[in-house]
Amino acid sequence: MNTEMYQTPMEVAVYQLHNFSISFFSSLLGGDVVSVKLDNSASGASVVALDNKIEQAMDLVKNHLMYAVREEVEILKEQIRELVEKNSQLERENTLLKTLASPEQLEKFQSRLSPEEPAPEAPETPETPEAPDGSAV
């Protein structure tokens, strides 16, 4: 790199950034590295060519990102379709099971689902076992 013609660190940094940009975007485009000197003798045509290459590279990156996003959207749409289908199937199954269940089964099931509601209490059994004739054993 010939930096004698640059007097400030900012000019050197701009020169290095342009060279990096050209190398990076040229590699994205699959072309050879274009050598553009950005000194006081650089022609306007080379600057325009550089701008065109950068614009092409940016378009390429944008197109690639858009393609990747579209692909991901299609995958997510398919997953949503599958989940909606599975949800519908489970709702139909649930409805069928509710119609086939007896009222006692439904009541028992509902009592398991809502623990905050008190379940019907069973009659308490005495602590002392009783004989069949009712006397304590």
Side-chain angles (χ1 to χ4, degrees):
M1 175 174 92
N2 185 7
T3 59
E4 292 92 34
M5 64 184 124
Y6 303 107
Q7 289 134 14
T8 67
M10 179 62 86
E11 289 174 331
V12 173
V14 168
Y15 175 80
Q16 291 174 340
L17 180 60
H18 276 72
N19 282 340
F20 171 76
S21 297
I22 293 167
S23 299
F24 176 73
F25 289 126
S26 292
S27 68
L28 284 177
L29 292 171
D32 295 329
V33 175
V34 178
S35 177
V36 176
K37 291 186 179 180
L38 297 173
D39 58 12
N40 294 337
S41 65
S43 69
S46 63
V47 172
V48 171
L50 172 64
D51 287 344
N52 288 339
K53 290 284 187 181
I54 291 172
E55 188 173 335
Q56 288 173 355
M58 290 172 58
D59 286 343
L60 181 67
V61 170
K62 182 181 99 174
N63 289 339
H64 175 71
L65 288 174
M66 291 300 291
Y67 176 78
V69 167
R70 284 186 189 112
E71 192 174 274
E72 186 68 23
V73 165
E74 289 303 316
I75 291 169
L76 292 173
K77 282 181 179 179
E78 182 60 33
Q79 288 177 347
I80 289 170
R81 270 188 237 110
E82 290 171 2
L83 289 171
V84 166
E85 183 179 315
K86 184 173 183 176
N87 187 40
S88 297
Q89 178 186 353
L90 290 172
E91 285 177 349
R92 287 191 303 270
E93 184 179 326
N94 188 27
T95 303
L96 176 65
L97 289 173
K98 281 182 179 179
T99 58
L100 296 176
S102 67
E104 295 84 23
Q105 290 172 325
L106 285 174
E107 184 179 322
K108 187 176 183 181
F109 179 71
Q110 287 296 333
S111 68
R112 288 185 183 174
L113 285 181
S114 51
E116 62 275 353
E117 294 178 17
E121 293 185 21
E124 291 186 24
T125 56
E127 293 181 21
T128 327
E130 294 182 8
D133 62 353
S135 62
V137 179

